[in-house]
Amino acid sequence: MPPRLQLSSTHIPRPVRTQKRLTGQQNVVIYNTRYASTETAATASSAVVPPPSLEQVKRNPAPIARTSSVQPPSHRRPEARRSQLLRQYTSLVQWTAIRRELTQALRKVDEQQTSEGRSTTPLAPHVKLQIIQTSIFEVALRIVDYFRPESVTGKIAAEEDILLHDLSSTVHNAVRHMKGKHELTTVLSGPLAVLTLPSVSPEHLKAALSILAPKATGFSAPPRKANPGYHELTVQDGLQKLMLVAARVDGRVFDIEGTKWVGSIESGIDGLRAQLVHALQAIGASVTSTLEGAGKSLYLTMESRRSVLEEEQNGGEKKEES
């Protein structure tokens, strides 16, 4: 049996990456599995690099930063498909819990309106909260708001575009010049979710904002005792990912302050109509009092002038008789 050779760890060659800089020459890095050397285009000489010491071999390499400073560390690679699916499924559970709490809050508004004897249509079954693709949504907004069939009458050349459907080239070309000019274009960036109501209802809007964005709007969130499900960790983690951007009410875009004002209208649209009627009545009463005051002033002036003339006339007649 041949004798065993005891090799020191300092004699084991390791692939080493080296780099040599020469003035006016291009650096060339060469990798070798047994030896490490540097070579340039001007010289063919090679130099053996001293092997690393035992301490250098045992020393752990510095950790490589795989995530950016704004991204929390993860045991999975964030860019991997499995990681993205994990985030998607987590958000799916949170999104379901948020929709549940939103539906409950809107149903309470419908029940309150019914108990007050108001003949309003329940809106809770028709309110939707969904994630949109911003670029396609912007095109849809342009088609709905800017396209009018009478604007292209007589310009239809293709037979398949006679119906003027949403995907027809005629409709697409008719609104192309309005790209980027819609009033909501400035907020259509990044991942967005849209809450849609079939009709304007400040009470339903307030109830929705008290669930989705109570801190931003100042509306009171449901207390834990009355609605413990709202304070579950699943719901709260999902709400932390949401941020109120803007609202579009009756064709007008409102910022956060404007959205708060719409939601704070007492008694909803009926209350707003009552305030409008009261304001019109107050204006009518003010106009009536002003006109009556002017008429009374004119009447008093004419009566005063008539009395003065009568006195002057009576005084003249007495002088003639005397």
Side-chain angles (χ1 to χ4, degrees):
M1 182 175 180
R4 295 181 179 180
L5 299 178
Q6 297 182 357
L7 300 178
S8 175
S9 60
T10 57
H11 293 163
I12 300 176
R14 295 185 60 201
V16 180
R17 179 181 178 180
T18 59
Q19 187 173 356
K20 184 176 181 180
R21 182 178 298 274
L22 298 178
T23 305
Q25 297 179 355
Q26 184 179 4
N27 298 329
V28 179
V29 180
I30 298 178
Y31 294 91
N32 195 306
T33 57
R34 297 184 60 186
Y35 301 95
S37 63
T38 59
E39 187 176 72
T40 62
T43 62
S45 60
S46 62
V48 178
V49 179
S53 61
L54 182 60
E55 290 77 14
Q56 293 177 348
V57 174
K58 293 183 178 181
R59 186 182 305 168
N60 294 327
I64 301 176
R66 298 183 180 273
T67 58
S68 60
S69 58
V70 297
Q71 185 176 1
S74 172
H75 76 286
R76 296 177 180 270
R77 293 192 308 169
E79 67 276 6
R81 181 174 180 272
R82 287 178 173 268
S83 300
Q84 297 301 324
L85 288 176
L86 177 62
R87 290 179 174 179
Q88 180 180 352
Y89 296 155
T90 304
S91 300
L92 178 63
V93 177
Q94 297 171 350
W95 204 241
T96 303
I98 292 174
R99 283 197 178 101
R100 179 198 64 201
E101 299 301 322
L102 179 62
T103 303
Q104 291 180 1
L106 296 175
R107 285 177 179 173
K108 290 181 180 179
V109 177
D110 290 337
E111 294 173 357
Q112 181 180 359
Q113 292 180 350
T114 303
S115 62
E116 295 176 356
R118 297 162 58 181
S119 57
T120 57
T121 304
L123 298 182
H126 307 287
V127 177
K128 294 183 179 181
L129 179 64
Q130 55 187 348
I131 301 174
I132 62 171
Q133 173 61 255
T134 54
S135 58
I136 302 178
F137 188 72
E138 193 269 342
V139 178
L141 286 175
R142 283 189 280 134
I143 293 175
V144 173
D145 292 342
Y146 299 141
F147 176 72
R148 298 295 178 266
E150 58 271 11
S151 62
V152 295
T153 303
K155 299 180 180 180
I156 303 175
E159 183 178 355
E160 62 271 15
D161 291 334
I162 293 179
L163 296 178
L164 299 179
H165 53 84
D166 298 344
L167 300 179
S168 64
S169 59
T170 301
V171 175
H172 179 73
N173 295 330
V175 299
R176 179 181 296 178
H177 68 285
M178 298 300 296
K179 182 178 181 179
K181 298 181 181 180
H182 195 274
E183 54 188 357
L184 286 177
T185 302
T186 56
V187 300
L188 294 179
S189 61
L192 288 181
V194 176
L195 175 70
T196 55
L197 286 77
S199 61
V200 179
S201 176
E203 293 173 315
H204 287 84
L205 179 61
K206 179 180 179 180
L209 294 178
S210 64
I211 297 294
L212 301 177
K215 294 182 180 180
T217 58
F219 296 135
S220 300
R224 184 182 297 272
K225 186 176 181 180
N227 190 358
Y230 176 78
H231 297 273
E232 292 179 356
L233 185 61
T234 304
V235 178
Q236 295 301 316
D237 288 347
L239 292 176
Q240 291 179 1
K241 302 176 182 179
L242 301 181
M243 181 181 64
L244 179 63
V245 178
R248 193 187 189 202
V249 182
D250 201 14
R252 295 184 56 187
V253 178
F254 291 87
D255 57 1
I256 297 180
E257 294 297 328
T259 306
K260 291 168 57 178
W261 173 79
V262 175
S264 60
I265 297 176
E266 297 294 336
S267 301
I269 293 296
D270 295 336
L272 185 60
R273 292 194 184 102
Q275 294 178 13
L276 179 60
V277 171
H278 178 73
L280 293 176
Q281 290 177 349
I283 294 175
S286 176
V287 172
T288 302
S289 61
T290 302
L291 295 177
E292 289 180 353
K296 290 180 180 179
S297 177
L298 179 60
Y299 173 76
L300 293 176
T301 302
M302 296 298 294
E303 286 294 322
S304 176
R305 182 60 178 170
R306 186 176 64 81
S307 62
V308 171
L309 292 176
E310 288 180 353
E311 291 178 359
E312 292 179 354
Q313 186 178 1
N314 294 334
E317 291 178 353
K318 290 180 180 181
K319 287 182 182 179
E320 291 176 358
E321 290 178 357
S322 61

